[in-house]
Amino acid sequence: MTDVPAIEVRGITRVFESRKGFLFREHTRTEALRGVDLTVRSGSIYGLLGPNGAGKTTLVKILSTLLLPTSGTARVLGHDVVEDSDWLRPRIGLVLGGERGLYNRVSARDNLRYFADLYGLPGAEREERITAVLERVDLVSAADRRVEEFSRGMKQKLHIARGILHRPQVLFLDEPTIGLDPKSARETRKLVRSLVSDGVTILLTTHYMFEAEELCPEIAVLSKGRIVAHDTVAGLRQLVGGDRTLEAEAYGFEDREVELLHRLPGVSKVVSEEYGPRTRLTLRLRSPETTASDVEAALPGHSELSVRERRTSLEDVYLDLVEEEAR
Amino acid sequence: MSTVELPRISRTRATSASLRLSFLMFMADPQWLIPSMIAPVVFGLVAFELFRGSGPYFLTYAILGAGMMSMWGQTLYGSGWAIGQDREFGTLEPTVQSPTPYVYVVLGRVLWNVVSGLIGGAIVYLVVLAAAGSPPTVPDPIGFVVLFVFVMLTLASVGILFSAAWVYTRYSGFIQNVGEFAFYIGTGCMFPVVLLPFWTNPIALVFPPTWALDALRYLAIPGYVGFGWGFWPDIAGAILTTAIYVAIAGTVFKRVELHVLSKGDLSDY
């Protein structure tokens, strides 16, 4: 580990422009990233959360030298991703995942042989290394089968095997457990942790909040091309109003009742959501003064009222931040 | 910052890995049987009938015409198509992202297509031989084979540049489909370029195969009248234009890579 951050992003923007049509050209301009700043410590896992279209994959592609930024600078291992891409490429790994990105008509082993050669793995070591990564992702028994016969989960594992084949120092994982069954997903998370133990820095994008919470000491939430928050999970909980949440459900609440809940001690936020005929009020609590019985006392006259307390989840944090940004 | 020792990227190894992968993909996909095995049989029979009775060397004309037609498609079209497949499979991104310059990956694909084209040429030879019942008269068989392979390499140099177009845009298949047979006629694959209108000749000379094919005809067909300057200037022209194509390809690929990284459409198909 060194003091130089593994990843350092300053004011990155990325605009996609496209033209459609032949006679009547239609010009579209999409701002995928709008001034992103990010610092990832060496040897850590950093989580990047965000809804579809938030710019996560765009950022990952820029950092892995597959896309040029429109403006701003990005450095990986202290080197500029645009100027020093030749230096960086052997040192970074990328797992984009999905159904595409593999040679389906040849075997998993032949896919890995090809990329091992492109990454210059020494000939004597190549087969040994391929077997080692196949073992690590539990694909040894299917190594000589054509990839087109693989399930989506097996393809995902092969993507990961390819990403770590050349022992990268920084690994970009774009939704690595998508499409995996629970057992495989758990094994993948275990693999990710073991890679970090080996000293690899990982930038992980995911839709699964529990995964981010389990793996990532630090998390950034990306929405509409901007980082709307970045902190530890505990820090993010505080950011949205505390780590305790109370939920009250009944057949509708009056505005004055919602106002009353707002005024209870330690309540930082009250969010109202409709669920068919029922309404749920979610209260974020900064301090322990207010309890479930206080809420019940503040809402008399609701025969079907139910109040429960739980810990503020990362999903709560995420939804609060993204919805706030959308407003 | 990093002190980790990295393996050296061998361009030869990367090229041979790409060639090997192309071979494996070819073997795994029965659709390639049509252009590489069936088409040469058809081309051979058509050329045999086309040139039959047109002189003492009609068999050589038939073999050259049909062989070139078969190899042209395989080498040039196949090379571009291989890159198109990388787009289709979504493998263009991880390949471009690897430390190997993409031009060496393309070179491997093109070299496989050269081998595949040579197999097509051999099939044409056998078909024409079977149709005629006797082998063609070739004054210098060894020189013919050497020059034949050289013609393939000149085709490959054009194939590499065509491949750059496939990396550049997903619409390059359209351009290639339109251009394939115009180039085929223009470079004298089926019959000598000197038979075409004069204004086409300077355009044809831009392409390395034009020179190499003219040289091949000088060698294989006694009394052949092609470009007035003769065999050795043809060879020199072929080497020079091939070298220029290869040099341009090296630069073009770097620029194309920058363009696609800027556009961000490597995964589009």
Side-chain angles (χ1 to χ4, degrees):
Chain A
M1 282 211 218
T2 67
D3 291 336
V4 179
I7 301 169
E8 202 173 10
V9 177
R10 294 288 168 263
I12 283 282
T13 68
R14 172 68 211 201
V15 176
F16 288 99
E17 300 200 45
S18 64
R19 288 178 173 79
K20 279 190 283 185
F22 183 64
L23 286 177
F24 303 100
R25 304 277 277 173
E26 187 187 323
H27 180 247
T28 54
R29 188 174 190 277
T30 311
E31 278 186 279
L33 295 175
R34 301 184 294 151
V36 169
D37 294 321
L38 190 75
T39 304
V40 178
R41 283 180 296 112
S42 191
S44 68
I45 313 182
Y46 197 97
L48 203 54
L49 295 177
N52 290 333
K56 301 186 299 293
T57 303
T58 301
L59 182 59
V60 163
K61 284 188 178 179
I62 287 174
L63 293 174
S64 57
T65 75
L66 268 181
L67 189 64
L68 299 180
T70 304
S71 67
T73 59
R75 299 177 82 79
V76 175
L77 298 168
H79 288 257
D80 189 275
V81 294
V82 179
E83 300 296 325
D84 301 329
S85 61
D86 289 346
W87 186 92
L88 274 172
R89 283 177 177 173
R91 292 167 173 86
I92 59 176
L94 170 67
V95 178
L96 285 174
E99 290 282 338
R100 297 172 77 227
L102 298 164
Y103 292 99
N104 285 332
R105 290 206 170 96
V106 301
S107 70
R109 196 184 295 279
D110 280 325
N111 267 274
L112 294 179
R113 277 184 183 136
Y114 173 65
F115 282 99
D117 286 339
L118 296 193
Y119 277 88
L121 251 70
E125 188 201 331
R126 188 182 73 172
E127 295 303 312
E128 202 179 299
R129 180 66 187 153
I130 287 171
T131 305
V133 293
L134 285 168
E135 272 171 6
R136 213 159 175 182
V137 298
D138 194 24
L139 270 185
V140 174
S141 58
D144 296 308
R145 277 168 54 195
R146 281 190 187 190
V147 174
E148 64 190 359
E149 297 168 16
F150 280 18
S151 67
R152 182 164 181 174
M154 290 165 84
K155 285 181 182 172
Q156 194 67 22
K157 287 178 177 182
L158 186 56
H159 277 293
I160 295 170
R162 183 180 61 197
I164 61 174
L165 184 64
H166 58 290
R167 300 188 182 88
Q169 290 165 256
V170 177
L171 183 62
F172 300 98
L173 293 172
D174 194 16
E175 299 175 13
T177 57
I178 202 159
L180 295 186
D181 59 65
K183 183 173 172 282
S184 302
R186 191 188 303 160
E187 282 164 5
T188 303
R189 288 195 290 276
K190 199 172 148 195
L191 169 68
V192 170
R193 273 192 294 268
S194 74
L195 287 168
V196 175
S197 310
D198 295 346
V200 180
T201 306
I202 295 177
L203 180 70
L204 172 109
T205 78
T206 181
H207 281 301
Y208 303 131
M209 302 301 139
F210 70 93
E211 186 168 280
E213 194 161 2
E214 188 184 322
L215 289 174
C216 309
E218 283 182 89
I219 290 169
V221 179
L222 197 61
S223 179
K224 292 184 175 177
R226 285 192 331 112
I227 289 193
V228 292
H230 61 97
D231 209 325
T232 59
V233 176
L236 289 174
R237 281 198 184 100
Q238 290 305 319
L239 194 70
V240 296
D243 64 355
R244 284 175 62 229
T245 294
L246 281 170
E247 284 178 349
E249 267 189 47
Y251 291 102
F253 295 101
E254 291 175 24
D255 288 348
R256 61 170 186 81
E257 290 175 316
V258 176
E259 277 302 310
L260 191 64
L261 292 180
H262 257 301
R263 287 201 293 273
L264 288 173
V267 173
S268 60
K269 188 187 273 184
V270 180
V271 180
S272 174
E273 291 165 285
E274 304 289 331
Y275 287 92
R278 287 176 74 80
T279 303
R280 180 189 293 163
L281 296 177
T282 306
L283 289 74
R284 298 270 185 265
L285 302 168
R286 279 190 200 284
S287 51
E289 295 99 316
T290 298
T291 62
S293 40
D294 295 327
V295 173
E296 281 168 351
L299 300 169
H302 290 278
S303 57
E304 297 290 332
L305 176 71
S306 73
V307 180
R308 68 184 187 101
E309 180 175 343
R310 60 176 175 79
R311 198 171 180 225
T312 304
S313 68
L314 185 59
E315 190 167 342
D316 295 323
V317 175
Y318 170 81
L319 290 173
D320 278 8
L321 289 168
V322 170
E323 279 165 13
E324 212 164 272
E325 178 68 11
R327 282 196 290 269
Chain B
M1 175 178 171
S2 167
T3 54
V4 177
E5 198 174 316
L6 291 171
R8 200 175 61 83
I9 306 301
S10 160
R11 289 163 177 183
T12 314
R13 198 160 145 229
T15 302
S16 60
S18 172
L19 190 149
R20 180 177 176 277
L21 183 78
S22 301
F23 166 70
L24 292 174
M25 299 280 283
F26 175 87
M27 294 302 284
D29 190 352
Q31 71 162 328
W32 289 112
L33 278 176
I34 296 169
S36 61
M37 304 285 170
I38 298 170
V41 173
V42 176
F43 293 156
L45 292 173
V46 169
F48 177 76
E49 290 302 326
L50 195 67
F51 289 105
R52 196 211 289 257
S54 61
Y57 295 100
F58 86 93
L59 279 184
T60 311
Y61 265 108
I63 289 168
L64 281 180
M68 281 303 135
M69 191 162 183
S70 164
M71 293 187 299
W72 173 258
Q74 273 297 94
T75 307
L76 201 56
Y77 193 79
S79 301
W81 191 249
I83 312 304
Q85 274 200 321
D86 264 331
R87 273 192 178 275
E88 181 188 353
F89 299 153
T91 42
L92 197 54
E93 276 190 332
T95 308
V96 167
Q97 204 258 334
S98 80
T100 294
Y102 193 65
V103 67
Y104 294 98
V105 174
V106 171
L107 186 61
R109 302 274 203 277
V110 170
L111 287 178
W112 163 251
N113 285 310
V114 167
V115 173
S116 168
L118 283 172
I119 294 168
I123 292 172
V124 164
Y125 179 81
L126 293 173
V127 166
V128 173
L129 194 68
S134 60
T137 312
V138 179
D140 180 0
I142 294 171
F144 180 83
V145 171
V146 171
L147 203 49
F148 203 81
V149 174
F150 176 66
V151 171
M152 295 301 299
L153 294 175
T154 63
L155 279 171
S157 70
V158 185
I160 292 175
L161 268 188
F162 263 49
S163 303
W166 277 93
V167 181
Y168 186 83
T169 171
R170 58 182 160 159
Y171 301 115
S172 57
F174 169 74
I175 302 162
Q176 188 155 318
N177 282 336
V178 170
E180 186 185 2
F181 288 99
F183 288 128
Y184 169 71
I185 299 292
T187 52
C189 277
M190 184 59 104
F191 43 78
V193 174
V194 289
L195 298 180
L196 295 174
F198 178 73
W199 63 266
T200 62
N201 287 200
I203 299 170
L205 291 175
V206 171
F207 300 104
T210 307
W211 299 81
L213 277 163
D214 203 53
L216 188 61
R217 286 201 175 93
Y218 269 117
L219 186 84
I221 303 164
Y224 169 71
V225 181
F227 294 119
W229 47 70
F231 177 79
W232 286 109
D234 266 344
I235 293 288
I239 291 171
L240 182 69
T241 47
T242 301
I244 291 170
Y245 268 61
V246 171
I248 291 173
T251 314
V252 163
F253 266 93
K254 196 68 201 165
R255 284 169 184 267
V256 163
E257 187 184 322
L258 272 176
H259 172 82
V260 290
L261 295 186
S262 157
K263 233 168 95 184
D265 69 346
L266 271 176
S267 57
D268 293 351
Y269 178 67

